[in-house]
Structure formats: C-alpha cells, structure tokens
Amino acid sequence: GNSVTQMEGPVTLSEEAFLTINCTYTATGYPSLFWYVQYPGEGLQLLLKATKADDKGSNKGFEATYRKETTSFHLEKGSVQVSDSAVYFCALSITGGGNKLTFGTGTQLKVEL
Amino acid sequence: GAGVSQTPSNKVTEKGKYVELRCDPISGHTALYWYRQSLGQGPEFLIYFQGTGAADDSGLPNDRFFAVRPEGSVSTLKIQRTERGDSAVYLCASSSSTGPGNSPLHFGNGTRLTVT
C-alpha cells in the first residue's frame, strides 16, 4: 500500500535557524508529493508540490526535492520565522490511481524568538 | 464564498445518534473530498465526488457512513448510530480539477465531532 512517514514533533527552533523535516514514502505506483501546512486556527493549505523525480517544489522560502532513489521529500528552510509555527504534513497521491491524498501524521514546528 | 465552508464547526452527540456534517465548496469546484483526522494523526481519505457522483468511496469505514452531493455543490456527510470511535475532525476539500496532482485541494477548517 501507500504510506508516508515523517519525523515526530514537536520541533522547536529559534528564529533564523535552519529547518529540516524529514519525509519518506512508500508507493505502489508513481506518486506526486506534497507538503501541506496548517497554521493555528486555519485549514490545511498546500505549501509546495513536486510531480516527478528530481523536481524541486518551493514556496515562501521552503523547498523540498523529490528523491526517487531514497523515496524522500524532505522539507527545508534556511531561516525560519515565528510566523512559520504550524503543523506540517507530507502527503502523496498516485498518478492515475485515483484522487486520494495519503498523509503523514504531521510535524508540529514551534519557532521562538 | 472565499473558501470551503464547513458547518457546524463543533458537534457533540450521544452514542447511537445520527449526525449530518455539511460542506460548501468553493464556487465552481467540481471535485469534493471528505477526510477524517483523528487526534495526532494525518487526515485519512473517506470519499471523493466528481460532480454529483461519488467517484471513489473506498475510504468510508463501514455502512454507517454515507455522503451525498445532490446538486454537485454542497455535500453532506451522514453518520448513523454514532460510536465513540467516530470522534474526530472531519475535513472537506474541493478542487477545480480531478486530481490532487493537477490542482491543489482547498480545505475547510473542519467539523470537530465528539461522541459521548
């Protein structure tokens, strides 16, 4: 089956620190990969995506590269801000296999001054 | 509307009761999805509509769960004979295309269901 594994939180960082949230996946077909973010009191929002191997998704200073050889899609940001505090979800969908997103369990990020 | 609207935002019900959860998608979005998120977990797929028809209901856990979208816009998720294990946040999402890889899903804020 399809599954997504991401690092457990909470992750607590100081402002301007470097962020990595690890995400690995298993998939029965060829997946598209996503990072969604949930800010406090808000709904899930798409942060970035990559649809094929070696693609890099980027948005708001966040980046993730689709690594087929390591089945990974790690989220990175060079300098986090307090406003980045949120829960981050890694997810996949199988191309041509339906329209279901399979999510990881989420990683809470707390950024402190 | 500006985004996906879900009502009620919170629902408390007694075990064995029937509940309906409503989702109003973004205007013009043909695809509508229901997910369930238990505490400490990621969202789990329940059902997906393309227009009025359920294109994939493989995530519905059992026959107590049912969803409709009679006019291709608003959808209602119905749960019969609720159990305490049904307690979760029920999320609705819509998109303008038929696949998450083609266009982003826009999520509502969810309905928090508590079964006592």
Side-chain angles (χ1 to χ4, degrees), chain A residues 5-8 20-24 35 73-75 90 107:
Chain A
T5 302
Q6 57 183 111
M7 61 190 289
E8 290 190 16
T20 299
I21 300 178
N22 290 336
C23 171
T24 58
W35 279 99
F73 193 54
H74 304 320
L75 183 68
C90 187
T107 302

Side-chain angles (χ1 to χ4, degrees), chain A residues 45-85:
Chain A
Q45 304 172 25
L46 178 65
L47 180 61
L48 54 84
K49 70 176 184 180
T51 58
K52 61 182 187 296
D54 300 325
D55 269 2
K56 178 186 286 187
S58 61
N59 186 25
K60 300 181 180 180
F62 290 89
E63 293 183 340
T65 300
Y66 187 141
R67 301 288 188 199
K68 187 177 179 182
E69 64 275 13
T70 54
T71 62
S72 65
F73 193 54
H74 304 320
L75 183 68
E76 297 182 334
K77 186 174 185 181
S79 176
V80 293
Q81 306 299 311
V82 171
S83 58
D84 294 327
S85 298

